[in-house]
Amino acid sequence: MQRRPYALLCLWLSLALATLAATPAQARETAPAQQSPIIDYNERFLPIVGREGMVVGPEQLATEAGKQILQQGGNVVDAAVATGFALAVTYPRAGNLGGGGFMLLHLAEGNRDVFIDYRETAPAAASRDMFLKADSSEDLALEYFSLQSSGVPGTVAGLLYALEKYGSMGREQVLAPAIALAEQGFAVSFALNYELAARADRLHRNPEAKRLYFKPDGSPYQIGEILRQPDLAWTLRQIAARGKDGFYRGEVARRIAAEMQRGNGLITLEDLAAYRAIERVPLRGRFHEFEIVSAPPPSSGGVHILQILNLLENDDLAALGHNSAAYLHLLTESMKLAYADRSEYLGDPDFVDVPVAALTDKAYAARQRKLIAADRATPSARIAPGRELVVESQDTTQYTIADRHGNMVSNTYTLNASFGSAIAVPGTGMLLNNEMGDFAALPGGANMFGLVQGERNAIAGGKRPLSSMSPTIVFRDGQPWFATGSPGGSMIITTVLQTILNAMAFDMNVATAGTSPRIHHQWLPDELQAEQGISPDTLALLRDMGHTVKAGGRTIGRTQSIMLRDGWLLGATDPRRPGGWVAAY
Ligand code: DON
């Protein structure tokens, strides 16, 4: 390379110009003064580089709000809380106060990993058959788009728990950017205009949602027009002033309960007052020299990511070749085994036994690995949840934050569907989730993501619905190395899995790892989904092996990732959706 300085300079200049043209503000802000040794310019996609701190998320203003908090001296948790509240304002399709999620933290001091579960809970009055019609079929409108669709919101409790226990700033300071964005308004982006127009029909059905996000004539705000949300600003101010009680008790709670009473919703003042975020021990597993830390139940994410990695660990994946037919076959067959187990064994661990240790046991994987034929797809109908478990005792969004000291936050939170139930609580500026749909309304039946789920995930008052959200941090040689996560319902697990595999087994940088074409199989339906960009020759080979391949349909997931290498922060927002942003300094 050094013998060809001119060629290298040309390459560097053309790449720099291409990057500038694509994301001008980003590139100018964060380009290193000189070529950094950690970037291999021969990779297809390049990350944004930062030195001190970085926030990667689905929307520019909220990620910049997180960066601003870091620059004011806040830690990664302060930034995560600020970004979480700001996304509730700027990214209403998934950013939220009325939903829930999971936050995974790595704290360099004390080398600690912390998992905060702020998943919604079923209201006390919820019951097992609440979404079944007289003929025992599911009432999908009731399940997904009614006031009964909502679990008790967890986001405010979760973000405040994180702030109080692991943050360093006061509520007023971290809530200030969100309040300003709600009160003063912000210019509607291409992405927001597009999302509101795409969901206009659904949002128009609820007069309050229509009033919040559309102009009086019902049309969406145009790109560049200012969207102000004074009611949401009021709610945020209640939280800033009174903390958790500002949301779960008092006037905000009364407005939520009143709306529930108006339309047969189940959430009561008592449900709201009883809500608690729960700190859980994250799951840990090894894959060669890497240690993976991820989401425990009530997420299924960590369990199945570890289970699939165990199934793959003894194959030489690099030798098979990235996205080769042989590799994708092995990956698909492993996914089918894991999702079959998911359909039976996973649920809220506070209500049912989840055999986590048995499912993530390497010996179990070794036995299951023998069920995978070398060059033949096993029809899903012939795969059942594993019976050889040795049980010993017994439209979501992601943002990722890191600083140079190795503190990291991976946060996935959601209203479930895009804009949740599409019902807003009058006077709060807030949409409600439709997370009740993540329970098995009819155990053995499929949910909105086509996922088959079992008895352990049946509805019960106070229970948390099973999730696939998988905020994940990978350690390399004991050091925090790669933080990521994704929306995508049932595809979250396979998205996060392939992203970390691309980095761990195929040595890709963070941008290439998140951008490369992905596949997804979830056991049922027996269908291998492949994104655009996987070669038709490869797909033909997979079909020859007996896979039912569905190519070029929906994209799979949307990651927000940061890699920490040699003291540099390398960030990448997934280009599968518009509007993502890397805020770095
Ligand atoms: O918790 C879960 O698994 C789902 N509620 C996530 C929903 C989701 O990712 C929708 N976004 N694409």
Side-chain angles (χ1 to χ4, degrees):
M1 292 277 256
Q2 277 172 347
R3 272 182 277 120
R4 297 200 310 249
Y6 178 72
L8 187 65
L9 183 68
C10 286
L11 179 65
W12 187 88
L13 268 176
S14 58
L15 278 166
L17 284 173
T19 316
L20 271 173
T23 48
Q26 294 243 283
R28 259 179 259 128
E29 202 177 320
T30 58
Q34 57 189 39
Q35 188 189 354
S36 150
I38 33 102
I39 301 242
D40 174 357
Y41 285 156
N42 290 316
E43 280 208 49
R44 270 190 304 153
F45 303 99
L46 297 186
I48 301 286
V49 181
R51 198 57 170 143
E52 297 293 330
M54 179 177 278
V55 184
V56 187
E59 192 281 324
Q60 176 180 358
L61 298 168
T63 46
E64 289 291 343
K67 181 179 103 178
Q68 185 189 319
I69 291 288
L70 289 174
Q71 287 176 312
Q72 287 168 8
N75 66 20
V76 291
V77 179
D78 298 316
V81 175
T83 300
F85 281 119
L87 281 170
V89 181
T90 60
Y91 193 71
R93 65 181 278 186
N96 67 81
L97 302 183
F102 302 128
M103 185 183 285
L104 177 63
L105 310 175
H106 174 73
L107 304 169
E109 194 181 310
N111 194 23
R112 287 187 64 189
D113 302 306
V114 172
F115 184 82
I116 301 169
D117 165 2
Y118 58 97
R119 182 77 165 158
E120 299 88 333
T121 53
S127 57
R128 183 189 160 87
D129 297 336
M130 61 186 276
F131 297 126
L132 298 186
K133 296 194 255 191
D135 66 358
S136 290
S137 65
E138 273 179 67
D139 184 337
L140 293 176
L142 190 67
E143 190 175 346
Y144 290 106
F145 301 111
S146 79
L147 284 164
Q148 292 191 24
S149 309
S150 301
V152 181
T155 294
V156 174
L159 295 181
L160 293 181
Y161 179 95
L163 181 70
E164 280 153 27
K165 193 137 180 224
Y166 300 107
S168 69
M169 288 177 160
R171 286 195 300 269
E172 285 75 11
Q173 198 168 356
V174 295
L175 274 151
I179 293 173
L181 285 163
E183 219 152 52
Q184 292 154 27
F186 60 92
V188 167
S189 63
F190 166 82
L192 181 55
N193 167 267
Y194 178 89
E195 288 150 16
L196 290 173
R199 296 287 179 203
D201 284 352
R202 192 181 288 168
L203 290 163
H204 278 185
R205 273 183 242 144
N206 178 253
E208 185 67 0
K210 182 172 175 187
R211 185 180 75 80
L212 288 176
Y213 302 114
F214 295 86
K215 294 194 275 191
D217 69 358
S219 61
Y221 287 87
Q222 296 304 304
I223 299 165
E225 286 182 340
I226 303 298
L227 174 64
R228 289 191 183 81
Q229 300 175 78
D231 290 350
L232 184 54
W234 173 82
T235 303
L236 290 163
R237 283 194 184 282
Q238 302 300 305
I239 300 167
R242 296 183 51 220
K244 196 177 162 219
D245 283 354
F247 185 86
Y248 291 93
R249 294 169 194 268
E251 189 51 31
V252 174
R254 273 194 290 280
R255 289 182 190 184
I256 297 172
E259 173 66 359
M260 290 288 152
Q261 278 186 347
R262 180 194 63 77
N264 295 324
L266 300 184
I267 300 175
T268 61
L269 286 174
E270 291 72 38
D271 288 322
L272 289 162
Y275 186 85
R276 303 270 177 280
I278 301 177
E279 190 170 319
R280 299 186 189 273
V281 180
L283 295 194
R284 320 183 80 87
R286 290 205 74 84
F287 179 80
H288 300 289
E289 75 265 36
F290 304 95
E291 182 171 36
I292 293 86
V293 177
S294 190
S299 175
S300 56
V303 167
H304 299 304
I305 289 171
L306 296 182
Q307 184 183 3
I308 298 172
L309 289 174
N310 288 342
L311 283 162
L312 299 173
E313 193 176 15
N314 295 319
D315 288 85
D316 187 346
L317 304 181
L320 294 179
H322 182 254
N323 281 358
S324 65
Y327 170 63
L328 294 180
H329 167 71
L330 183 57
L331 195 55
T332 302
E333 295 300 282
S334 305
M335 290 172 180
K336 283 152 76 171
L337 291 169
Y339 278 80
D341 284 348
R342 185 188 189 283
S343 77
E344 172 146 341
Y345 291 115
L346 273 285
D348 180 347
D350 294 341
F351 280 70
V352 295
D353 264 355
V354 183
V356 173
L359 288 166
T360 56
D361 180 17
K362 292 204 187 268
Y364 174 60
R367 290 194 298 280
Q368 293 284 89
R369 176 67 184 80
K370 295 194 186 114
L371 303 176
I372 299 179
D375 50 9
R376 202 68 217 150
T378 303
S380 293
R382 296 220 322 263
I383 297 174
R387 293 288 164 215
E388 291 185 58
L389 288 185
V390 183
V391 182
E392 260 139 29
S393 53
Q394 48 156 323
D395 210 56
T396 308
T397 194
Q398 167 70 26
Y399 57 89
T400 306
I401 303 182
D403 68 18
R404 64 179 305 185
H405 308 294
N407 298 295
M408 289 182 164
V409 178
S410 173
N411 188 87
T412 317
Y413 74 154
T414 187
L415 291 165
N416 197 18
S418 204
F419 299 101
S421 66
I423 299 175
V425 178
T428 66
M430 178 183 96
L431 285 168
L432 289 164
N433 69 79
N434 57 359
E435 220 73 61
M436 291 295 286
D438 274 357
F439 280 116
L442 181 63
N447 75 354
M448 133 178 154
F449 304 107
L451 279 174
V452 174
Q453 319 196 81
E455 252 340 296
R456 283 179 171 83
N457 191 29
I459 306 174
K463 194 173 172 185
R464 296 179 184 216
L466 180 60
S467 172
S468 299
M469 291 186 287
S470 312
T472 296
I473 298 176
V474 180
F475 294 76
R476 182 173 203 164
D477 301 322
Q479 300 302 312
W481 178 64
F482 195 110
T484 191
S486 175
S490 58
M491 301 190 288
I492 293 172
I493 300 172
T494 48
T495 295
V496 172
L497 169 78
Q498 287 167 91
T499 305
I500 62 176
L501 271 172
N502 287 346
M504 296 189 302
F506 298 100
D507 204 24
M508 291 180 192
N509 78 28
V510 63
T512 314
T515 308
S516 293
R518 296 192 268 262
I519 60 152
H520 173 74
H521 200 304
Q522 59 183 47
W523 177 52
L524 293 175
D526 191 352
E527 183 177 273
L528 167 52
Q529 294 182 50
E531 284 188 321
Q532 243 179 41
I534 294 184
S535 140
D537 300 344
T538 304
L539 298 177
L541 289 169
L542 287 164
R543 287 194 178 98
D544 286 347
M545 290 182 204
H547 293 279
T548 303
V549 176
K550 195 172 145 210
R554 285 188 300 167
T555 53
I556 296 173
R558 180 193 187 180
T559 55
Q560 312 289 350
S561 312
I562 300 178
M563 185 186 266
L564 178 61
R565 247 179 93 180
D566 302 334
W568 294 92
L569 295 158
L570 306 171
T573 179
D574 199 321
R576 284 171 179 78
R577 292 284 178 278
W581 198 255
V582 179
Y585 67 109

